[in-house]
Amino acid sequence: MFGRPLLRFVRKDTHINFMRGRFMGLITSAVLSVASLILFFHPGLTLGLDFRGGIVVEAKTTGPADFAKLRDALAAHGIRHAAFQAFGASDDVLIRLDTGEGQDTQAVVDQVRHTVADALPGTTILRADAVGASVSAELFRNGMLALGLSLAMILGYIWVRFEWEFALSAVITLVLDLTKTMGFLVLTGFEFDLVMVAAILTILGYSTNDKVVVYDRVRENLRKYRSMPLIDLLNLSINETLNRTLGTSSTVFLAALPLALWGGATLSGFAWTMLFGIVVGTSSSIFIAAPLLLFMGEGRLKRGAKAAKAGSAS
């Protein structure tokens, strides 16, 4: 009674021919990744405060925010080219300012605080962050370095654990997932900052785990069904792990969904990126990673299984 799962996404004896759509999956993924790369260079990512430098002030007014009055008040104190954005309720306002090299950012933050409070009495400053230009450039380099090192470590881990066909297929799939995520950020206009770097690293880790589960079952079935064609063996392995894949994906998806809907301006971008990455990572494990393994390992993986059998027999 207690050994049976209460919920199954698919029947235990499911036999879906996923490899039938391998060409369509690879072509669609390649087209989306190329389009994402084009978007990455033009118009490019919307850099957040961490990477662009500048000042962000969140304020809550006593009534609907009067942007014109705020803009005039800041201009009267020499603070021009400020960007105003409403988020959440009508009394929530976000003020963005760019700062130049050598400018005292803390002094500008204090000036904005006092100006907003004087222009709209009763206004509460919820947050005021400032990042200098030199610091933002260093943060951007460190963020890109973190992404590059994570891909290199994933490649090393899978290369040690599996044959090179598995490692190369997984890393190519992860790069395709990464490019699509970048395209998603460009299209949605979410700011790319350290929080987004954390989201992308989380997506890469989740997607890697998903692919390792499928690859583990493939390797087990290579030993178990030595005469089975690789394309049939991949279909079998995906079907056998499908319930676990969908169950894990659904759990993470449902955990991130409330943050996307009600997390506010600070967390919504992170959560929506996570939701997108979960969908892309799960689908790529089936329609990208497995077909790549088929094209790279057909013949070689089966020969390796036969060689292992011969070695054990002797």
Side-chain angles (χ1 to χ4, degrees), residues 58 87-88 256-272:
E58 291 183 12
F87 71 97
L257 185 59
L259 292 178
L261 297 177
W262 303 293
T266 304
L267 293 177
S268 63
F270 171 86
W272 282 114

Side-chain angles (χ1 to χ4, degrees), residues 79-98:
I79 302 174
R80 296 178 175 83
H81 308 296
F84 297 87
Q85 177 185 348
F87 71 97
S90 60
D91 56 351
D92 294 324
V93 59
L94 194 69
I95 306 173
R96 303 177 188 273
L97 297 166
D98 291 329

Side-chain angles (χ1 to χ4, degrees), residues 37-48:
L37 285 175
I38 294 173
L39 291 173
F40 177 80
F41 289 105
H42 182 76
L45 294 169
T46 303
L47 296 181

Side-chain angles (χ1 to χ4, degrees), residues 19 218 229-239 290-291 293-294:
M19 290 297 101
V218 171
L230 184 58
I231 186 171
D232 296 332
L233 189 141
L234 288 172
N235 270 324
L236 174 65
S237 302
I238 294 172
N239 279 282
L293 183 60
L294 174 64

Side-chain angles (χ1 to χ4, degrees), residues 215-297:
Y215 283 173
D216 264 335
R217 185 57 58 91
V218 171
R219 188 168 57 177
E220 292 173 6
N221 287 335
L222 280 171
R223 301 190 186 102
K224 188 176 180 180
Y225 305 103
R226 301 179 188 276
S227 59
M228 180 182 292
L230 184 58
I231 186 171
D232 296 332
L233 189 141
L234 288 172
N235 270 324
L236 174 65
S237 302
I238 294 172
N239 279 282
E240 288 179 342
T241 57
L242 191 58
N243 262 308
R244 184 197 182 283
T245 298
L246 295 179
T248 304
S249 302
S250 299
T251 301
V252 181
F253 190 93
L254 292 175
L257 185 59
L259 292 178
L261 297 177
W262 303 293
T266 304
L267 293 177
S268 63
F270 171 86
W272 282 114
T273 305
M274 282 290 299
L275 293 176
F276 177 82
I278 291 166
V279 174
V280 169
T282 302
S283 60
S284 68
S285 299
I286 298 172
F287 298 105
I288 309 301
L292 284 175
L293 183 60
L294 174 64
F295 295 139
M296 293 183 184

Side-chain angles (χ1 to χ4, degrees), residues 82-128:
F84 297 87
Q85 177 185 348
F87 71 97
S90 60
D91 56 351
D92 294 324
V93 59
L94 194 69
I95 306 173
R96 303 177 188 273
L97 297 166
D98 291 329
T99 57
E101 190 69 37
Q103 189 174 3
D104 188 350
T105 54
Q106 189 57 50
V108 177
V109 170
D110 293 338
Q111 183 65 59
V112 171
R113 283 176 178 270
H114 296 314
T115 302
V116 171
D118 293 340
L120 299 176
T123 298
T124 303
I125 304 299
L126 303 177
R127 178 172 70 99

